[in-house]
PDB file of all heavy atoms in Angstrom:
ATOM      1  N   ALA A  29       2.849  16.111  -8.693  1.00  0.00           N
ATOM      2  CA  ALA A  29       2.430  15.125  -9.693  1.00  0.00           C
ATOM      3  C   ALA A  29       1.743  13.958  -8.989  1.00  0.00           C
ATOM      4  O   ALA A  29       2.283  13.358  -8.059  1.00  0.00           O
ATOM      5  CB  ALA A  29       3.632  14.636 -10.495  1.00  0.00           C
ATOM      6  N   PHE A  30       0.547  13.608  -9.432  1.00  0.00           N
ATOM      7  CA  PHE A  30      -0.255  12.520  -8.864  1.00  0.00           C
ATOM      8  C   PHE A  30       0.223  11.212  -9.504  1.00  0.00           C
ATOM      9  O   PHE A  30      -0.053  10.925 -10.664  1.00  0.00           O
ATOM     10  CB  PHE A  30      -1.730  12.759  -9.179  1.00  0.00           C
ATOM     11  CG  PHE A  30      -2.697  11.972  -8.340  1.00  0.00           C
ATOM     12  CD1 PHE A  30      -3.677  12.618  -7.594  1.00  0.00           C
ATOM     13  CD2 PHE A  30      -2.650  10.583  -8.288  1.00  0.00           C
ATOM     14  CE1 PHE A  30      -4.581  11.902  -6.826  1.00  0.00           C
ATOM     15  CE2 PHE A  30      -3.542   9.848  -7.527  1.00  0.00           C
ATOM     16  CZ  PHE A  30      -4.517  10.515  -6.791  1.00  0.00           C
ATOM     17  N   ASP A  31       0.965  10.386  -8.728  1.00  0.00           N
ATOM     18  CA  ASP A  31       1.542   9.159  -9.266  1.00  0.00           C
ATOM     19  C   ASP A  31       0.865   7.922  -8.669  1.00  0.00           C
ATOM     20  O   ASP A  31      -0.096   8.021  -7.901  1.00  0.00           O
ATOM     21  CB  ASP A  31       3.050   9.120  -9.029  1.00  0.00           C
ATOM     22  CG  ASP A  31       3.414   9.255  -7.545  1.00  0.00           C
ATOM     23  OD1 ASP A  31       2.527   9.037  -6.687  1.00  0.00           O
ATOM     24  OD2 ASP A  31       4.575   9.582  -7.248  1.00  0.00           O
ATOM     25  N   ALA A  32       1.384   6.750  -9.019  1.00  0.00           N
ATOM     26  CA  ALA A  32       0.783   5.490  -8.575  1.00  0.00           C
ATOM     27  C   ALA A  32       0.853   5.335  -7.054  1.00  0.00           C
ATOM     28  O   ALA A  32      -0.069   4.798  -6.431  1.00  0.00           O
ATOM     29  CB  ALA A  32       1.484   4.315  -9.255  1.00  0.00           C
ATOM     30  N   GLY A  33       1.943   5.790  -6.437  1.00  0.00           N
ATOM     31  CA  GLY A  33       2.062   5.682  -4.984  1.00  0.00           C
ATOM     32  C   GLY A  33       0.997   6.496  -4.260  1.00  0.00           C
ATOM     33  O   GLY A  33       0.413   6.047  -3.265  1.00  0.00           O
ATOM     34  N   LEU A  34       0.738   7.697  -4.782  1.00  0.00           N
ATOM     35  CA  LEU A  34      -0.303   8.527  -4.175  1.00  0.00           C
ATOM     36  C   LEU A  34      -1.679   7.914  -4.416  1.00  0.00           C
ATOM     37  O   LEU A  34      -2.544   7.948  -3.534  1.00  0.00           O
ATOM     38  CB  LEU A  34      -0.239   9.940  -4.762  1.00  0.00           C
ATOM     39  CG  LEU A  34      -1.266  10.943  -4.208  1.00  0.00           C
ATOM     40  CD1 LEU A  34      -1.180  11.050  -2.696  1.00  0.00           C
ATOM     41  CD2 LEU A  34      -1.081  12.315  -4.862  1.00  0.00           C
ATOM     42  N   GLU A  35      -1.876   7.318  -5.581  1.00  0.00           N
ATOM     43  CA  GLU A  35      -3.152   6.668  -5.863  1.00  0.00           C
ATOM     44  C   GLU A  35      -3.421   5.544  -4.857  1.00  0.00           C
ATOM     45  O   GLU A  35      -4.545   5.384  -4.360  1.00  0.00           O
ATOM     46  CB  GLU A  35      -3.152   6.108  -7.282  1.00  0.00           C
ATOM     47  CG  GLU A  35      -4.489   5.497  -7.683  1.00  0.00           C
ATOM     48  CD  GLU A  35      -4.468   4.967  -9.096  1.00  0.00           C
ATOM     49  OE1 GLU A  35      -3.641   4.055  -9.373  1.00  0.00           O
ATOM     50  OE2 GLU A  35      -5.245   5.456  -9.919  1.00  0.00           O
ATOM     51  N   ASP A  36      -2.394   4.773  -4.526  1.00  0.00           N
ATOM     52  CA  ASP A  36      -2.550   3.704  -3.525  1.00  0.00           C
ATOM     53  C   ASP A  36      -2.921   4.291  -2.167  1.00  0.00           C
ATOM     54  O   ASP A  36      -3.769   3.733  -1.450  1.00  0.00           O
ATOM     55  CB  ASP A  36      -1.255   2.902  -3.404  1.00  0.00           C
ATOM     56  CG  ASP A  36      -0.993   2.037  -4.638  1.00  0.00           C
ATOM     57  OD1 ASP A  36      -1.946   1.790  -5.398  1.00  0.00           O
ATOM     58  OD2 ASP A  36       0.176   1.619  -4.824  1.00  0.00           O
ATOM     59  N   ALA A  37      -2.292   5.410  -1.811  1.00  0.00           N
ATOM     60  CA  ALA A  37      -2.599   6.060  -0.529  1.00  0.00           C
ATOM     61  C   ALA A  37      -4.040   6.572  -0.509  1.00  0.00           C
ATOM     62  O   ALA A  37      -4.730   6.484   0.519  1.00  0.00           O
ATOM     63  CB  ALA A  37      -1.622   7.203  -0.276  1.00  0.00           C
ATOM     64  N   VAL A  38      -4.495   7.096  -1.638  1.00  0.00           N
ATOM     65  CA  VAL A  38      -5.884   7.574  -1.730  1.00  0.00           C
ATOM     66  C   VAL A  38      -6.860   6.415  -1.575  1.00  0.00           C
ATOM     67  O   VAL A  38      -7.860   6.512  -0.858  1.00  0.00           O
ATOM     68  CB  VAL A  38      -6.119   8.314  -3.065  1.00  0.00           C
ATOM     69  CG1 VAL A  38      -7.608   8.573  -3.280  1.00  0.00           C
ATOM     70  CG2 VAL A  38      -5.343   9.628  -3.085  1.00  0.00           C
ATOM     71  N   ARG A  39      -6.576   5.292  -2.257  1.00  0.00           N
ATOM     72  CA  ARG A  39      -7.457   4.122  -2.140  1.00  0.00           C
ATOM     73  C   ARG A  39      -7.552   3.647  -0.690  1.00  0.00           C
ATOM     74  O   ARG A  39      -8.638   3.305  -0.201  1.00  0.00           O
ATOM     75  CB  ARG A  39      -6.945   2.988  -3.033  1.00  0.00           C
ATOM     76  CG  ARG A  39      -7.096   3.228  -4.534  1.00  0.00           C
ATOM     77  CD  ARG A  39      -6.618   2.000  -5.307  1.00  0.00           C
ATOM     78  NE  ARG A  39      -6.536   2.255  -6.729  1.00  0.00           N
ATOM     79  CZ  ARG A  39      -7.565   2.159  -7.574  1.00  0.00           C
ATOM     80  NH1 ARG A  39      -8.758   1.810  -7.104  1.00  0.00           N
ATOM     81  NH2 ARG A  39      -7.393   2.400  -8.856  1.00  0.00           N
ATOM     82  N   GLU A  40      -6.424   3.597  -0.014  1.00  0.00           N
ATOM     83  CA  GLU A  40      -6.420   3.157   1.377  1.00  0.00           C
ATOM     84  C   GLU A  40      -7.234   4.104   2.251  1.00  0.00           C
ATOM     85  O   GLU A  40      -8.000   3.672   3.124  1.00  0.00           O
ATOM     86  CB  GLU A  40      -4.974   3.066   1.887  1.00  0.00           C
ATOM     87  CG  GLU A  40      -4.849   2.588   3.337  1.00  0.00           C
ATOM     88  CD  GLU A  40      -5.416   1.192   3.548  1.00  0.00           C
ATOM     89  OE1 GLU A  40      -5.364   0.376   2.601  1.00  0.00           O
ATOM     90  OE2 GLU A  40      -5.909   0.921   4.657  1.00  0.00           O
ATOM     91  N   TYR A  41      -7.074   5.399   2.008  1.00  0.00           N
ATOM     92  CA  TYR A  41      -7.854   6.389   2.756  1.00  0.00           C
ATOM     93  C   TYR A  41      -9.351   6.209   2.494  1.00  0.00           C
ATOM     94  O   TYR A  41     -10.159   6.229   3.417  1.00  0.00           O
ATOM     95  CB  TYR A  41      -7.425   7.803   2.354  1.00  0.00           C
ATOM     96  CG  TYR A  41      -8.265   8.895   2.986  1.00  0.00           C
ATOM     97  CD1 TYR A  41      -7.986   9.350   4.274  1.00  0.00           C
ATOM     98  CD2 TYR A  41      -9.344   9.448   2.311  1.00  0.00           C
ATOM     99  CE1 TYR A  41      -8.762  10.327   4.873  1.00  0.00           C
ATOM    100  CE2 TYR A  41     -10.126  10.432   2.894  1.00  0.00           C
ATOM    101  CZ  TYR A  41      -9.832  10.867   4.172  1.00  0.00           C
ATOM    102  OH  TYR A  41     -10.610  11.819   4.764  1.00  0.00           O
ATOM    103  N   GLN A  42      -9.713   6.026   1.232  1.00  0.00           N
ATOM    104  CA  GLN A  42     -11.123   5.860   0.882  1.00  0.00           C
ATOM    105  C   GLN A  42     -11.716   4.613   1.531  1.00  0.00           C
ATOM    106  O   GLN A  42     -12.842   4.640   2.033  1.00  0.00           O
ATOM    107  CB  GLN A  42     -11.281   5.810  -0.635  1.00  0.00           C
ATOM    108  CG  GLN A  42     -11.023   7.161  -1.310  1.00  0.00           C
ATOM    109  CD  GLN A  42     -10.941   7.046  -2.817  1.00  0.00           C
ATOM    110  OE1 GLN A  42     -10.486   6.029  -3.356  1.00  0.00           O
ATOM    111  NE2 GLN A  42     -11.382   8.098  -3.516  1.00  0.00           N
ATOM    112  N   ARG A  43     -10.960   3.523   1.531  1.00  0.00           N
ATOM    113  CA  ARG A  43     -11.454   2.296   2.173  1.00  0.00           C
ATOM    114  C   ARG A  43     -11.677   2.518   3.661  1.00  0.00           C
ATOM    115  O   ARG A  43     -12.664   2.051   4.229  1.00  0.00           O
ATOM    116  CB  ARG A  43     -10.463   1.141   1.948  1.00  0.00           C
ATOM    117  CG  ARG A  43     -10.609   0.464   0.588  1.00  0.00           C
ATOM    118  CD  ARG A  43      -9.802  -0.820   0.531  1.00  0.00           C
ATOM    119  NE  ARG A  43      -8.371  -0.547   0.473  1.00  0.00           N
ATOM    120  CZ  ARG A  43      -7.679  -0.413  -0.652  1.00  0.00           C
ATOM    121  NH1 ARG A  43      -8.291  -0.522  -1.819  1.00  0.00           N
ATOM    122  NH2 ARG A  43      -6.391  -0.165  -0.618  1.00  0.00           N
ATOM    123  N   SER A  44     -10.784   3.261   4.309  1.00  0.00           N
ATOM    124  CA  SER A  44     -10.906   3.496   5.756  1.00  0.00           C
ATOM    125  C   SER A  44     -12.113   4.357   6.101  1.00  0.00           C
ATOM    126  O   SER A  44     -12.596   4.337   7.230  1.00  0.00           O
ATOM    127  CB  SER A  44      -9.630   4.157   6.292  1.00  0.00           C
ATOM    128  OG  SER A  44      -9.536   5.511   5.888  1.00  0.00           O
ATOM    129  N   ARG A  45     -12.609   5.140   5.125  1.00  0.00           N
ATOM    130  CA  ARG A  45     -13.767   6.015   5.345  1.00  0.00           C
ATOM    131  C   ARG A  45     -15.057   5.409   4.812  1.00  0.00           C
ATOM    132  O   ARG A  45     -16.102   6.045   4.864  1.00  0.00           O
ATOM    133  CB  ARG A  45     -13.565   7.363   4.652  1.00  0.00           C
ATOM    134  CG  ARG A  45     -12.858   8.480   5.388  1.00  0.00           C
ATOM    135  CD  ARG A  45     -11.901   8.055   6.419  1.00  0.00           C
ATOM    136  NE  ARG A  45     -11.164   9.160   7.025  1.00  0.00           N
ATOM    137  CZ  ARG A  45      -9.926   9.042   7.463  1.00  0.00           C
ATOM    138  NH1 ARG A  45      -9.280   7.898   7.327  1.00  0.00           N
ATOM    139  NH2 ARG A  45      -9.324  10.059   8.050  1.00  0.00           N
ATOM    140  N   GLY A  46     -14.980   4.202   4.267  1.00  0.00           N
ATOM    141  CA  GLY A  46     -16.175   3.588   3.714  1.00  0.00           C
ATOM    142  C   GLY A  46     -16.578   4.186   2.383  1.00  0.00           C
ATOM    143  O   GLY A  46     -17.733   4.073   1.965  1.00  0.00           O
ATOM    144  N   LEU A  47     -15.627   4.814   1.673  1.00  0.00           N
ATOM    145  CA  LEU A  47     -15.897   5.406   0.363  1.00  0.00           C
ATOM    146  C   LEU A  47     -15.539   4.413  -0.741  1.00  0.00           C
ATOM    147  O   LEU A  47     -14.832   3.432  -0.512  1.00  0.00           O
ATOM    148  CB  LEU A  47     -15.068   6.684   0.187  1.00  0.00           C
ATOM    149  CG  LEU A  47     -15.260   7.788   1.224  1.00  0.00           C
ATOM    150  CD1 LEU A  47     -14.231   8.893   1.010  1.00  0.00           C
ATOM    151  CD2 LEU A  47     -16.671   8.343   1.163  1.00  0.00           C
ATOM    152  N   SER A  48     -16.025   4.687  -1.939  1.00  0.00           N
ATOM    153  CA  SER A  48     -15.643   3.871  -3.089  1.00  0.00           C
ATOM    154  C   SER A  48     -14.145   4.056  -3.342  1.00  0.00           C
ATOM    155  O   SER A  48     -13.686   5.170  -3.617  1.00  0.00           O
ATOM    156  CB  SER A  48     -16.436   4.292  -4.325  1.00  0.00           C
ATOM    157  OG  SER A  48     -17.819   4.082  -4.121  1.00  0.00           O
ATOM    158  N   ALA A  49     -13.380   2.963  -3.260  1.00  0.00           N
ATOM    159  CA  ALA A  49     -11.915   3.050  -3.346  1.00  0.00           C
ATOM    160  C   ALA A  49     -11.463   3.043  -4.800  1.00  0.00           C
ATOM    161  O   ALA A  49     -10.861   2.086  -5.290  1.00  0.00           O
ATOM    162  CB  ALA A  49     -11.280   1.900  -2.573  1.00  0.00           C
ATOM    163  N   ASP A  50     -11.745   4.164  -5.510  1.00  0.00           N
ATOM    164  CA  ASP A  50     -11.385   4.261  -6.925  1.00  0.00           C
ATOM    165  C   ASP A  50     -10.091   5.021  -7.161  1.00  0.00           C
ATOM    166  O   ASP A  50      -9.622   5.131  -8.300  1.00  0.00           O
ATOM    167  CB  ASP A  50     -12.523   4.912  -7.716  1.00  0.00           C
ATOM    168  CG  ASP A  50     -12.906   6.297  -7.187  1.00  0.00           C
ATOM    169  OD1 ASP A  50     -12.190   6.826  -6.311  1.00  0.00           O
ATOM    170  OD2 ASP A  50     -13.933   6.831  -7.638  1.00  0.00           O
ATOM    171  N   GLY A  51      -9.491   5.561  -6.071  1.00  0.00           N
ATOM    172  CA  GLY A  51      -8.232   6.279  -6.213  1.00  0.00           C
ATOM    173  C   GLY A  51      -8.369   7.667  -6.799  1.00  0.00           C
ATOM    174  O   GLY A  51      -7.362   8.342  -7.030  1.00  0.00           O
ATOM    175  N   ILE A  52      -9.603   8.121  -7.023  1.00  0.00           N
ATOM    176  CA  ILE A  52      -9.860   9.453  -7.572  1.00  0.00           C
ATOM    177  C   ILE A  52     -10.369  10.363  -6.456  1.00  0.00           C
ATOM    178  O   ILE A  52     -11.308  10.010  -5.741  1.00  0.00           O
ATOM    179  CB  ILE A  52     -10.892   9.392  -8.722  1.00  0.00           C
ATOM    180  CG1 ILE A  52     -10.357   8.511  -9.852  1.00  0.00           C
ATOM    181  CG2 ILE A  52     -11.221  10.791  -9.227  1.00  0.00           C
ATOM    182  CD1 ILE A  52     -11.376   8.251 -10.942  1.00  0.00           C
ATOM    183  N   VAL A  53      -9.769  11.526  -6.311  1.00  0.00           N
ATOM    184  CA  VAL A  53     -10.148  12.463  -5.255  1.00  0.00           C
ATOM    185  C   VAL A  53     -11.177  13.429  -5.825  1.00  0.00           C
ATOM    186  O   VAL A  53     -10.854  14.489  -6.370  1.00  0.00           O
ATOM    187  CB  VAL A  53      -8.915  13.215  -4.707  1.00  0.00           C
ATOM    188  CG1 VAL A  53      -9.321  14.135  -3.558  1.00  0.00           C
ATOM    189  CG2 VAL A  53      -7.859  12.224  -4.231  1.00  0.00           C
ATOM    190  N   GLY A  54     -12.443  13.021  -5.729  1.00  0.00           N
ATOM    191  CA  GLY A  54     -13.551  13.840  -6.193  1.00  0.00           C
ATOM    192  C   GLY A  54     -14.189  14.593  -5.042  1.00  0.00           C
ATOM    193  O   GLY A  54     -13.644  14.636  -3.924  1.00  0.00           O
ATOM    194  N   PRO A  55     -15.372  15.191  -5.255  1.00  0.00           N
ATOM    195  CA  PRO A  55     -16.021  16.023  -4.222  1.00  0.00           C
ATOM    196  C   PRO A  55     -16.252  15.293  -2.914  1.00  0.00           C
ATOM    197  O   PRO A  55     -16.075  15.872  -1.843  1.00  0.00           O
ATOM    198  CB  PRO A  55     -17.344  16.419  -4.887  1.00  0.00           C
ATOM    199  CG  PRO A  55     -17.080  16.344  -6.355  1.00  0.00           C
ATOM    200  CD  PRO A  55     -16.124  15.216  -6.530  1.00  0.00           C
ATOM    201  N   ARG A  56     -16.679  14.003  -2.957  1.00  0.00           N
ATOM    202  CA  ARG A  56     -16.971  13.261  -1.730  1.00  0.00           C
ATOM    203  C   ARG A  56     -15.706  13.038  -0.912  1.00  0.00           C
ATOM    204  O   ARG A  56     -15.700  13.231   0.300  1.00  0.00           O
ATOM    205  CB  ARG A  56     -17.625  11.923  -2.094  1.00  0.00           C
ATOM    206  CG  ARG A  56     -18.011  11.059  -0.914  1.00  0.00           C
ATOM    207  CD  ARG A  56     -19.085  11.706  -0.088  1.00  0.00           C
ATOM    208  NE  ARG A  56     -19.503  10.831   1.002  1.00  0.00           N
ATOM    209  CZ  ARG A  56     -20.068  11.254   2.113  1.00  0.00           C
ATOM    210  NH1 ARG A  56     -20.290  12.538   2.290  1.00  0.00           N
ATOM    211  NH2 ARG A  56     -20.433  10.416   3.051  1.00  0.00           N
ATOM    212  N   THR A  57     -14.622  12.639  -1.572  1.00  0.00           N
ATOM    213  CA  THR A  57     -13.366  12.418  -0.851  1.00  0.00           C
ATOM    214  C   THR A  57     -12.825  13.737  -0.307  1.00  0.00           C
ATOM    215  O   THR A  57     -12.307  13.789   0.827  1.00  0.00           O
ATOM    216  CB  THR A  57     -12.330  11.751  -1.776  1.00  0.00           C
ATOM    217  OG1 THR A  57     -12.867  10.518  -2.273  1.00  0.00           O
ATOM    218  CG2 THR A  57     -11.033  11.461  -1.035  1.00  0.00           C
ATOM    219  N   ILE A  58     -12.950  14.815  -1.077  1.00  0.00           N
ATOM    220  CA  ILE A  58     -12.517  16.135  -0.605  1.00  0.00           C
ATOM    221  C   ILE A  58     -13.291  16.535   0.651  1.00  0.00           C
ATOM    222  O   ILE A  58     -12.724  17.073   1.610  1.00  0.00           O
ATOM    223  CB  ILE A  58     -12.720  17.207  -1.707  1.00  0.00           C
ATOM    224  CG1 ILE A  58     -11.727  16.988  -2.856  1.00  0.00           C
ATOM    225  CG2 ILE A  58     -12.567  18.617  -1.137  1.00  0.00           C
ATOM    226  CD1 ILE A  58     -10.291  17.282  -2.498  1.00  0.00           C
ATOM    227  N   THR A  59     -14.600  16.270   0.646  1.00  0.00           N
ATOM    228  CA  THR A  59     -15.419  16.597   1.819  1.00  0.00           C
ATOM    229  C   THR A  59     -14.892  15.892   3.052  1.00  0.00           C
ATOM    230  O   THR A  59     -14.773  16.477   4.127  1.00  0.00           O
ATOM    231  CB  THR A  59     -16.885  16.218   1.568  1.00  0.00           C
ATOM    232  OG1 THR A  59     -17.397  17.012   0.504  1.00  0.00           O
ATOM    233  CG2 THR A  59     -17.737  16.448   2.815  1.00  0.00           C
ATOM    234  N   HIS A  60     -14.572  14.613   2.919  1.00  0.00           N
ATOM    235  CA  HIS A  60     -14.036  13.856   4.051  1.00  0.00           C
ATOM    236  C   HIS A  60     -12.678  14.402   4.491  1.00  0.00           C
ATOM    237  O   HIS A  60     -12.404  14.523   5.685  1.00  0.00           O
ATOM    238  CB  HIS A  60     -13.915  12.378   3.685  1.00  0.00           C
ATOM    239  CG  HIS A  60     -15.163  11.600   3.900  1.00  0.00           C
ATOM    240  ND1 HIS A  60     -15.376  10.798   4.984  1.00  0.00           N
ATOM    241  CD2 HIS A  60     -16.294  11.530   3.155  1.00  0.00           C
ATOM    242  CE1 HIS A  60     -16.573  10.247   4.913  1.00  0.00           C
ATOM    243  NE2 HIS A  60     -17.155  10.675   3.814  1.00  0.00           N
ATOM    244  N   LEU A  61     -11.823  14.727   3.537  1.00  0.00           N
ATOM    245  CA  LEU A  61     -10.495  15.234   3.868  1.00  0.00           C
ATOM    246  C   LEU A  61     -10.563  16.577   4.584  1.00  0.00           C
ATOM    247  O   LEU A  61      -9.817  16.830   5.543  1.00  0.00           O
ATOM    248  CB  LEU A  61      -9.661  15.374   2.598  1.00  0.00           C
ATOM    249  CG  LEU A  61      -9.104  14.089   1.983  1.00  0.00           C
ATOM    250  CD1 LEU A  61      -8.688  14.332   0.546  1.00  0.00           C
ATOM    251  CD2 LEU A  61      -7.923  13.580   2.803  1.00  0.00           C
ATOM    252  N   ASP A  62     -11.457  17.440   4.124  1.00  0.00           N
ATOM    253  CA  ASP A  62     -11.460  18.825   4.601  1.00  0.00           C
ATOM    254  C   ASP A  62     -12.513  19.096   5.672  1.00  0.00           C
ATOM    255  O   ASP A  62     -12.572  20.201   6.207  1.00  0.00           O
ATOM    256  CB  ASP A  62     -11.695  19.788   3.436  1.00  0.00           C
ATOM    257  CG  ASP A  62     -10.483  19.870   2.509  1.00  0.00           C
ATOM    258  OD1 ASP A  62      -9.447  19.271   2.852  1.00  0.00           O
ATOM    259  OD2 ASP A  62     -10.582  20.512   1.453  1.00  0.00           O
ATOM    260  N   GLU A  63     -13.359  18.099   5.979  1.00  0.00           N
ATOM    261  CA  GLU A  63     -14.416  18.310   6.965  1.00  0.00           C
ATOM    262  C   GLU A  63     -13.820  18.771   8.286  1.00  0.00           C
ATOM    263  O   GLU A  63     -12.933  18.147   8.860  1.00  0.00           O
ATOM    264  CB  GLU A  63     -15.191  17.015   7.201  1.00  0.00           C
ATOM    265  CG  GLU A  63     -16.364  17.156   8.152  1.00  0.00           C
ATOM    266  CD  GLU A  63     -17.557  17.821   7.489  1.00  0.00           C
ATOM    267  OE1 GLU A  63     -17.706  17.689   6.265  1.00  0.00           O
ATOM    268  OE2 GLU A  63     -18.318  18.471   8.211  1.00  0.00           O
ATOM    269  N   GLY A  64     -14.289  19.908   8.783  1.00  0.00           N
ATOM    270  CA  GLY A  64     -13.875  20.408  10.090  1.00  0.00           C
ATOM    271  C   GLY A  64     -12.555  21.144  10.097  1.00  0.00           C
ATOM    272  O   GLY A  64     -12.122  21.623  11.142  1.00  0.00           O
ATOM    273  N   ILE A  65     -11.880  21.258   8.921  1.00  0.00           N
ATOM    274  CA  ILE A  65     -10.579  21.923   8.902  1.00  0.00           C
ATOM    275  C   ILE A  65     -10.730  23.429   8.799  1.00  0.00           C
ATOM    276  O   ILE A  65     -10.024  24.185   9.456  1.00  0.00           O
ATOM    277  CB  ILE A  65      -9.718  21.384   7.735  1.00  0.00           C
ATOM    278  CG1 ILE A  65      -9.365  19.926   8.019  1.00  0.00           C
ATOM    279  CG2 ILE A  65      -8.467  22.209   7.552  1.00  0.00           C
ATOM    280  CD1 ILE A  65      -8.572  19.279   6.922  1.00  0.00           C
ATOM    281  N   VAL A  66     -11.685  23.873   7.960  1.00  0.00           N
ATOM    282  CA  VAL A  66     -11.902  25.311   7.829  1.00  0.00           C
ATOM    283  C   VAL A  66     -12.393  25.848   9.163  1.00  0.00           C
ATOM    284  O   VAL A  66     -13.322  25.319   9.763  1.00  0.00           O
ATOM    285  CB  VAL A  66     -12.919  25.604   6.712  1.00  0.00           C
ATOM    286  CG1 VAL A  66     -13.180  27.092   6.622  1.00  0.00           C
ATOM    287  CG2 VAL A  66     -12.396  25.074   5.386  1.00  0.00           C
ATOM    288  N   GLY A  67     -11.789  26.911   9.652  1.00  0.00           N
ATOM    289  CA  GLY A  67     -12.125  27.418  10.981  1.00  0.00           C
ATOM    290  C   GLY A  67     -11.210  26.771  12.010  1.00  0.00           C
ATOM    291  O   GLY A  67     -10.201  26.141  11.692  1.00  0.00           O
ATOM    292  N   ASP A  68     -11.565  26.914  13.280  1.00  0.00           N
ATOM    293  CA  ASP A  68     -10.761  26.378  14.365  1.00  0.00           C
ATOM    294  C   ASP A  68     -10.850  24.854  14.354  1.00  0.00           C
ATOM    295  O   ASP A  68     -11.937  24.294  14.507  1.00  0.00           O
ATOM    296  CB  ASP A  68     -11.293  26.927  15.696  1.00  0.00           C
ATOM    297  CG  ASP A  68     -10.356  26.610  16.850  1.00  0.00           C
ATOM    298  OD1 ASP A  68      -9.624  25.607  16.762  1.00  0.00           O
ATOM    299  OD2 ASP A  68     -10.376  27.364  17.828  1.00  0.00           O
ATOM    300  N   PRO A  69      -9.725  24.147  14.187  1.00  0.00           N
ATOM    301  CA  PRO A  69      -9.775  22.687  14.110  1.00  0.00           C
ATOM    302  C   PRO A  69     -10.213  22.029  15.411  1.00  0.00           C
ATOM    303  O   PRO A  69     -10.565  20.854  15.417  1.00  0.00           O
ATOM    304  CB  PRO A  69      -8.330  22.303  13.749  1.00  0.00           C
ATOM    305  CG  PRO A  69      -7.500  23.449  14.212  1.00  0.00           C
ATOM    306  CD  PRO A  69      -8.362  24.670  14.028  1.00  0.00           C
ATOM    307  N   THR A  70     -10.183  22.764  16.521  1.00  0.00           N
ATOM    308  CA  THR A  70     -10.613  22.180  17.796  1.00  0.00           C
ATOM    309  C   THR A  70     -12.128  22.226  17.976  1.00  0.00           C
ATOM    310  O   THR A  70     -12.670  21.510  18.816  1.00  0.00           O
ATOM    311  CB  THR A  70      -9.958  22.912  18.987  1.00  0.00           C
ATOM    312  OG1 THR A  70     -10.425  24.263  19.040  1.00  0.00           O
ATOM    313  CG2 THR A  70      -8.444  22.908  18.862  1.00  0.00           C
TER     314      THR A  70
END
């Protein structure tokens, strides 16, 4: 369940990446989260 505490964590993450800190995990935020994870992480 996506609650207020998780929304605050998302906003903080977005601010640290220079993204719009709207607390919504859309395509741009997903790209940042998952960039480089698929395949060998090294």
Side-chain angles (χ1 to χ4, degrees):
F30 197 123
D31 57 18
L34 181 56
E35 184 179 61
D36 289 341
V38 169
R39 290 183 189 276
E40 181 61 31
Y41 175 83
Q42 290 170 327
R43 278 191 288 269
S44 73
R45 272 27 175 212
L47 302 172
S48 298
D50 57 8
I52 299 173
V53 183
R56 181 65 177 157
T57 303
I58 290 291
T59 296
H60 274 259
L61 284 162
D62 289 354
E63 183 77 28
I65 293 178
V66 178
D68 190 333
T70 65

